Amino acid sequence: MKRLIAIGLLAACAGIARADEGMWTFDNFPSGKVKEKYGFGPDGEWLDHLRLSSVRLGGGCSGSLVSGSGLVMTNHHCARSCIEQVSTPGNDRLSEGFFARAIADEIPCPEMEIGQLLEIADVTARVNAATKGLSEGPYNEALNAEMSRIEKECATSEAFRCDVVPLYHGGLYHRYKYRRFHDVRLVFAPEIAIAHFGGDPDNFMFPRYSLDVSFLRIYDDGAPAKTGHYLRWSPSGAKEGDLTFVSGHPGRTSRLFTVAELEFERDVAIPRRLLRLSEMRGMYAQFQERGPEQRRISMSSLLGVENSVKALKGRHEALLDRALFASKAAAEKAFRARVEADASLGRSCGGAWDAIAAAVEKERKIQRRYDAVESRGDLGSALMGFARTLVRLAEELPKPNEKRLREYADSKLPAVRQKLLSNAPIYDELEILKLAFALTKLREDLGPDDLLVKRVLGKESPRDLAGALVRGTRLQDIAVRRRILEGGKEALETAGDPVIALALLIDPEAREIRKKYEDEVESVLKKNGERIARAAFEIHGTAAYPD
């Protein structure tokens, strides 16, 4: 999912809490309007300080630097995977909490990365030049290639990460340059009973009576990082009526989705995801009944599923609201009429909505297979995830940077290698559970007579195959993963590992359906979403905040 650092604005005036709706990027914040309305307009220096004091956690969470020695404050669930990974059967830090009394007691998080946003650069002109005049398929290939080039030029070492971020559905492209911290350590986390008090039903509800917080520390060259910017503690706190700014790393808003895209989300994508997540919730709940150790090793997975269920249920309920959906349809109809009434805009953008609708119809036909073999190609398993990464790295690394799958571009490789060579614990019993579930769903989604299903399962049941895979693999060993990574295709082909063999079996079909999706669906949505965004710019400019 594409995300961006943004600023939201919240105001409480005359004793009534109210929010000025909008998530603005740091380089396009409406300071003048804020000052006119509230008497304070953040200047460039203030915004730069806030940007450098805000961080992005790998995986999408927001955090804030709160000391001059790299201390980061974030939500408890944002550190939950680390807390679980540094726990042991005799020391369940998720249930019992953790507090490092000294710097030396802070515990390294195996897979976490934190980024500090250093620069934002507008690269729209360069991207547009690379894609000018191209139709959907070639357009998408040129777009991905140019974004990979820009990111590689920017990320001059592993100390930096660069991402090209589309805004306004491709109306603008910005390059974000982060200082990358991959040595992150756990400092403090309360016990989950108070961090998650009230359970998921209380999540994002206010007031909420929980200690939903954790503290991490970023390190540079083995010592606490000196970042130069951080947010200072206010002993008096916020008062009623204070103007309040919220800085962070928001999720996708999807405000610019067309009606056809929203219908697909409402009728197909979200219901399927909710059904699968509900089954997974039951699976983990049942697994936890086996004993305290099973509860410990699966708690983070269960809570993640529950949070996703809640978020998607809310989204689905909104899309089922007839009045809300009718308002979206009316707004699209009015905007299309305005575009088509302008001869120039009509020629350049008038057919975009119909093209998107046609692409969505194609997505309806291939989505189930795309999800089964590409989107969920790791089968929900850490071991299968390692195997798939090794298989794809062996195929992608010999290619030029701009010709690779986007997730294996040079700028992404440090994070890929960090996760691949992580010392996070792997639990065979939980891996068998996840693989058995995923293989069962593969058979359900594609049908027992599907050729790929027959090749994957043979005459074995999903559970028996899952057990054989986990017991037979050696990918739990970091040294084995490193040897295969460094040995490339030859090491991969001679590994004799059953999980790698399964990844090799699935990968050709996964690549085939991915290419079909990118050529017939993704490229059309991107190209025509960009056309609609440009029409909106012609009419409204960038006075509205980005999607």
Side-chain angles (χ1 to χ4, degrees):
M1 177 182 290
K2 295 290 187 217
R3 299 171 184 258
L4 56 146
I5 295 289
I7 294 179
L9 175 63
L10 178 69
C13 300
I16 301 174
R18 48 192 291 272
D20 275 3
E21 190 255 0
M23 295 188 291
W24 296 91
T25 53
F26 285 106
D27 59 336
N28 188 36
F29 188 77
S31 294
K33 290 183 179 179
V34 173
K35 185 172 184 178
E36 180 181 341
K37 192 169 185 179
Y38 298 105
F40 172 71
D43 59 17
E45 183 179 355
W46 190 94
L47 290 168
D48 286 345
H49 171 68
L50 183 57
R51 169 173 53 79
L52 292 166
S53 300
S54 305
V55 294
R56 178 182 75 172
L57 280 66
C61 276
S62 302
S64 301
L65 286 160
V66 293
S67 86
S69 56
L71 193 65
V72 172
M73 182 173 72
T74 188
N75 295 95
H76 183 269
H77 74 270
C78 295
R80 193 169 60 215
S81 61
C82 169
I83 301 166
E84 187 176 84
Q85 288 167 353
V86 300
S87 296
T88 63
N91 192 352
D92 184 355
R93 295 184 169 106
L94 196 59
S95 294
E96 299 168 6
F98 173 76
F99 172 53
R101 297 184 178 276
I103 290 284
D105 297 329
E106 295 174 0
I107 306 175
C109 294
E111 296 179 348
M112 188 168 288
E113 174 181 316
I114 289 181
Q116 180 190 37
L117 182 58
L118 302 179
E119 298 174 1
I120 302 174
D122 188 341
V123 294
T124 309
R126 180 170 169 181
V127 171
N128 288 346
T131 59
K132 185 176 180 180
L134 298 176
S135 58
E136 281 86 358
Y139 161 88
N140 202 34
E141 291 178 8
L143 173 64
N144 289 336
E146 191 62 22
M147 290 195 295
S148 293
R149 288 190 195 98
I150 293 169
E151 291 167 351
K152 182 175 182 177
E153 292 167 10
C154 168
T156 53
S157 77
E158 291 196 5
F160 303 104
R161 173 175 176 141
C162 298
D163 297 318
V164 175
V165 179
L167 305 172
Y168 300 97
H169 273 216
L172 294 177
Y173 290 89
H174 284 180
R175 186 211 69 203
Y176 283 24
K177 182 175 183 178
Y178 295 92
R179 185 179 177 189
R180 177 176 175 265
F181 296 95
H182 54 87
D183 184 352
V184 181
R185 308 187 191 184
L186 181 64
V187 177
F188 167 78
E191 56 272 35
I192 199 167
I194 185 61
H196 199 63
F197 183 75
D200 207 72
D202 277 359
N203 194 17
F204 297 119
M205 306 296 283
F206 299 96
R208 186 183 181 203
Y209 304 101
S210 66
L211 190 59
D212 184 9
V213 69
S214 57
F215 287 88
L216 306 163
R217 194 183 306 277
I218 53 177
Y219 279 68
D220 189 21
D221 289 333
K226 307 296 182 183
T227 60
H229 291 268
Y230 63 94
L231 302 180
R232 286 163 172 77
W233 175 260
S234 169
S236 59
K239 301 183 296 295
E240 186 174 348
D242 280 355
L243 180 64
T244 307
F245 296 85
V246 180
S247 172
H249 181 67
R252 178 178 291 169
T253 57
S254 305
R255 293 179 308 115
L256 297 182
F257 268 23
T258 66
V259 169
E261 290 174 288
L262 292 175
E263 287 174 341
F264 177 77
E265 289 290 306
R266 181 194 65 194
D267 300 337
V268 180
I270 295 178
R272 284 182 183 172
R273 287 184 64 193
L274 277 173
L275 177 60
R276 187 182 187 91
L277 287 166
S278 297
E279 290 179 294
M280 291 174 68
R281 179 169 58 182
M283 175 188 74
Y284 286 127
Q286 188 177 48
F287 180 75
Q288 291 190 356
E289 293 179 359
R290 297 182 188 179
E293 180 62 5
Q294 287 81 2
R295 176 180 172 81
R296 181 185 73 80
I297 65 176
S298 64
M299 181 57 73
S300 183
S301 297
L302 175 60
L303 295 179
V305 166
E306 288 183 337
N307 192 51
S308 295
V309 167
K310 178 178 179 178
L312 285 171
K313 282 182 67 178
R315 192 180 307 174
H316 197 226
E317 288 167 4
L319 290 172
L320 289 172
D321 185 312
R322 293 184 179 181
L324 184 147
F325 207 90
S327 70
K328 295 292 292 184
E332 180 177 294
K333 182 178 180 181
F335 184 54
R336 288 186 69 171
R338 189 167 178 181
V339 167
E340 289 162 3
D342 183 301
S344 176
L345 287 178
R347 283 192 302 272
S348 61
C349 309
W353 287 272
D354 292 337
I356 287 174
V360 168
E361 283 304 307
K362 291 182 179 178
E363 186 173 12
R364 287 175 182 264
K365 296 175 182 177
I366 68 172
Q367 191 235 16
R368 188 183 296 272
R369 192 168 202 88
Y370 177 79
D371 282 353
V373 299
E374 173 58 21
S375 292
R376 296 193 294 266
D378 63 359
L379 302 180
S381 154
L383 293 170
M384 187 63 180
F386 293 148
R388 190 188 208 208
T389 299
L390 289 167
V391 166
R392 291 205 159 169
L393 282 172
E395 185 71 25
E396 296 299 312
L397 288 183
K399 300 177 183 177
N401 173 58
E402 63 273 13
K403 296 292 186 181
R404 297 178 199 155
L405 298 177
R406 282 281 292 146
E407 60 267 32
Y408 299 105
D410 282 340
S411 62
K412 308 291 195 296
L413 291 180
V416 171
R417 290 193 178 102
Q418 180 181 352
K419 186 168 185 178
L420 182 62
L421 301 178
S422 156
N423 64 355
I426 298 171
Y427 303 103
D428 286 359
E429 187 180 9
L430 186 58
E431 285 290 294
I432 292 171
L433 180 83
K434 291 179 177 180
L435 274 172
F437 175 82
L439 290 168
T440 300
K441 299 306 294 183
L442 180 72
R443 184 174 61 185
E444 287 180 9
D445 288 342
L446 302 186
D449 294 328
D450 183 86
L451 290 179
L452 179 64
V453 172
K454 288 182 175 181
R455 292 176 67 198
V456 168
L457 290 175
K459 296 182 179 179
E460 294 190 78
S461 71
R463 177 162 292 280
D464 287 345
L465 178 59
L469 289 168
V470 173
R471 288 189 292 270
T473 187
R474 293 183 297 150
L475 291 180
Q476 296 94 334
D477 188 336
I478 297 175
V480 171
R481 301 198 298 267
R482 186 186 301 277
R483 178 180 59 78
I484 298 172
L485 172 64
E486 294 173 352
K489 278 191 174 183
E490 183 179 352
L492 194 72
E493 292 167 356
T494 59
D497 189 281
V499 179
I500 287 179
L502 178 59
L504 285 167
L505 174 63
I506 294 174
D507 196 54
E509 182 147 350
R511 286 176 178 272
E512 181 180 345
I513 193 67
R514 175 172 175 155
K515 188 171 191 325
K516 185 177 182 66
Y517 173 81
E518 290 176 346
D519 289 348
E520 299 181 8
V521 179
E522 181 183 76
S523 61
V524 180
L525 299 181
K526 285 183 179 179
K527 177 70 174 179
N528 290 282
E530 179 185 298
R531 293 170 67 198
I532 293 172
R534 289 180 180 175
F537 286 162
E538 289 291 325
I539 296 171
H540 303 297
T542 56
Y545 60 90
D547 201 9

